[in-house]
Amino acid sequence: MKRLTTAAIAGGLLLALAGCGQASETAGRVGDAATTVSVCTEAVRIATATPDLADPQAAADRAHEAGRELTALAERAAGTTAGEAIGSLATTLRETTVDDLVTGPADWVRRKSEQVAALTKACGL
């Protein structure tokens, strides 16, 4: 009888531990999703800031700073479609030159807008 009781307790513990593992895995997925949503929200906020094209040097400096911020966010969302979209936009902003903003601001804004649209799609926003 004692063996049967011990076996029943051990079986119950195994079931409980298996349930805890499943709950932990589910919690991890929920946490990852929450992180991706917060990263995406922050990335869209940074990416949609309107540059002051009247001062091309300041606008280029701000684009470079935004690119660095987005690079850090892309690392947090690494391995996801959102992370790739953030990284692509970060590269565009980091590589922005004053000349881009003086001689081709419409092209620069169009390229940035397309990447922001890809970002929002990748993030499901």
Side-chain angles (χ1 to χ4, degrees):
M1 182 70 156
K2 190 171 185 169
R3 281 189 174 164
L4 185 58
T5 303
T6 303
I9 291 172
L13 282 173
L14 285 175
L15 286 174
L17 289 174
C20 286
Q22 188 72 11
S24 177
E25 184 179 316
T26 300
R29 283 194 302 262
V30 169
D32 290 347
T35 298
T36 299
V37 168
S38 73
V39 165
C40 284
T41 302
E42 183 66 9
V44 169
R45 183 193 64 75
I46 292 166
T48 57
T50 305
D52 179 7
L53 297 178
D55 184 351
Q57 183 60 57
D61 291 344
R62 178 59 196 122
H64 298 158
E65 176 60 28
R68 286 188 292 275
E69 292 175 41
L70 289 171
T71 297
L73 287 173
E75 290 171 5
R76 288 180 47 203
T80 66
T81 304
E84 292 170 9
I86 295 167
S88 177
L89 181 56
T91 298
T92 294
L93 294 175
R94 280 193 324 270
E95 294 175 352
T96 298
T97 66
V98 172
D99 191 52
D100 292 335
L101 301 172
V102 171
T103 62
D107 288 336
W108 182 81
V109 168
R110 178 191 48 75
R111 186 174 59 235
K112 181 182 164 198
S113 296
E114 288 170 355
Q115 289 178 319
V116 169
L119 170 63
T120 57
K121 181 177 179 182
C123 289
L125 301 176

